[in-house]
Amino acid sequence: MRLRLAGAVLLSAAAYYVYVPLPSGVSEPWKLMLLDALFRSFMQASDVAHALGVCHRVHLLNRVVSWVEVIEARSCPAVHVTDSELGGVPARVFQPKGGKRLKRGVLYFHGGGWALGSGRMRSYDLLCRKMAEDLDSVIMSVDYRLAPEAVFPDQYHDALAASRAFLSSPVLERYGIDPQRVCVSGDSAGGNLAAAVAQELSSDDSIKVKFKVQALIYPVLQALDFYTPSYQQNQAVPILYRPYMARFWLQYLGADPSLEPLLLANNHSSLDQPAIGANIRSKLNWRALLPAERRKHYRPVVKETGSLGVMGKVPQLVDVRAAPLLADQEVLGRTPKAYVMTCEFDVLRDDGLMYVRRLQDAGVAVTSDHYEDGFHACMVFAYLPMMSSVGRRSMNNYIDWLDQNL
């Protein structure tokens, strides 16, 4: 009897920890709850280790990720897989066997808040293998440097160096890549890097080979407004909670973590900030850039007065290399044809949707692929043990778009 009672208590405690209220429309809520419970456990353990001075919270998280997810480069009958370098930056290369002599090429940047993850993770390895086989394409998944050891612009510089090498004649010739059919892509923080690289290289006349398309998967594109409708609607929706995103931004920009409450209150983008003029504000004015069905009943949170010292301490907040949404229209107009995936239950939804609108206004052809039941990072959970249905759908549609447009 005591054993049964203890078991019931433990089961109840586990259910209490796992359960979080989720929006009714989210895909497979119990799978997401279990995934979230696992992530929260790791995050809380890393916070304790950080507070005790054992190690930086990010280091513990990455050790867990490496232990659970990172796998060796193993070829299979359809795809040859090797670890190499691109412009001095580590990269995993996936080459389809057979097929056409000239292949399409995709340069991919993984997500993880510029601090976590690797292109050698099982989830990205499986994604890139499928892309290589289905598209008969050479895929190069880049392992850029990570925070806290590397901070902006280090990750951007790694992405740029890898991109320049990828587009160079020696690399294109070595891997048999068609220079007319190359793409830059990435998810979340990797989508940020892909967008920033696409902007930079499309305006660089010294680069002979240009990306034909850019494919951005739930990208993070700005850090001035943490009260967009999607930040308000999804602030407590797994797996990317609103405070986590502010923390990732501060780590990426090498800023004081104590600034997190100021960012979350939008004190850093108050009307009295001289570094944020009307031109910048117009580029993230979601009342004008978002359709009514996404604005819903939400109201902007714009402080008249805020913390004037923040922009002086973190001027990178308005650097377009870190925040591609803030780029000028003429720069956007030179970028390649675009695919932008967004998810309804993701704090970053409106970053992507505003970028879609700004690209369209600049004359760029854009496919906006929105998932009404999607959540942040769903595409990388397309395989077991999670095997999210929306993850599988989104991955297949992403690959189909590349097949039709690259």
Side-chain angles (χ1 to χ4, degrees), residues 224-243:
L224 291 181
D225 190 356
F226 285 89
Y227 278 94
T228 61
S230 61
Y231 266 115
Q232 295 186 57
Q233 172 184 291
N234 302 310
Q235 58 183 313
V237 176
I239 56 174
L240 184 60
Y241 295 99
R242 185 167 164 267

Side-chain angles (χ1 to χ4, degrees), residues 11-250:
L11 187 61
S12 299
Y16 179 79
Y17 183 78
V18 169
Y19 177 79
V20 290
L22 293 175
S24 59
V26 73
S27 177
E28 300 171 301
W30 277 103
K31 284 186 180 180
L32 182 55
M33 286 183 202
L34 289 169
L35 180 66
D36 174 60
L38 185 65
F39 276 23
R40 277 188 287 120
S41 298
F42 292 152
M43 292 292 283
Q44 289 163 1
S46 68
D47 286 344
V48 170
H50 188 93
L52 293 175
V54 176
C55 64
H56 194 286
R57 58 172 59 87
V58 169
H59 293 160
L60 179 58
L61 288 171
N62 267 325
R63 284 173 194 162
V64 172
V65 167
S66 296
W67 179 63
V68 174
E69 273 275 296
V70 170
I71 60 176
E72 295 297 317
R74 291 193 182 95
S75 299
C76 64
V79 181
H80 182 59
V81 183
T82 56
D83 286 331
S84 185
E85 286 190 350
L86 270 177
V89 183
R92 178 160 290 183
V93 182
F94 302 80
Q95 296 173 266
K97 298 177 182 178
K100 296 179 181 179
R101 187 181 67 83
L102 274 183
K103 311 289 188 185
R104 293 180 280 197
V106 179
L107 186 67
Y108 196 91
F109 301 110
H110 68 81
W114 306 282
L116 303 172
S118 166
R120 295 175 291 116
M121 289 168 57
R122 177 179 173 273
S123 50
Y124 288 112
D125 187 277
L126 290 172
L127 169 65
C128 292
R129 284 174 190 269
K130 181 172 175 59
M131 291 168 66
E133 186 172 2
D134 290 1
L135 297 171
D136 190 31
S137 173
V138 176
I139 314 297
M140 299 193 182
S141 183
V142 179
D143 264 341
Y144 51 87
R145 286 172 290 173
L146 301 174
E149 285 74 23
V151 298
F152 178 81
D154 289 347
Q155 289 88 333
Y156 168 79
H157 283 158
D158 282 358
L160 192 60
S163 298
R164 290 184 185 278
F166 179 74
L167 297 175
S168 68
S169 295
V171 169
L172 295 174
E173 291 171 5
R174 176 183 175 186
Y175 292 99
I177 299 172
D178 186 341
Q180 302 300 316
R181 306 180 76 184
V182 286
C183 165
V184 63
S185 185
D187 66 291
S188 194
N192 168 286
L193 295 173
V197 162
Q199 290 179 11
E200 174 65 24
L201 296 185
S202 64
S203 299
D204 187 345
D205 294 332
S206 69
I207 300 293
K208 293 180 180 180
V209 177
K210 303 285 187 181
F211 287 115
K212 181 181 180 181
V213 297
Q214 55 181 320
L216 315 178
I217 314 300
Y218 29 79
V220 50
L221 300 168
Q222 61 85 29
L224 291 181
D225 190 356
F226 285 89
Y227 278 94
T228 61
S230 61
Y231 266 115
Q232 295 186 57
Q233 172 184 291
N234 302 310
Q235 58 183 313
V237 176
I239 56 174
L240 184 60
Y241 295 99
R242 185 167 164 267
Y244 290 176
M245 197 61 247
R247 179 184 296 180
F248 281 135
W249 267 113
L250 290 170

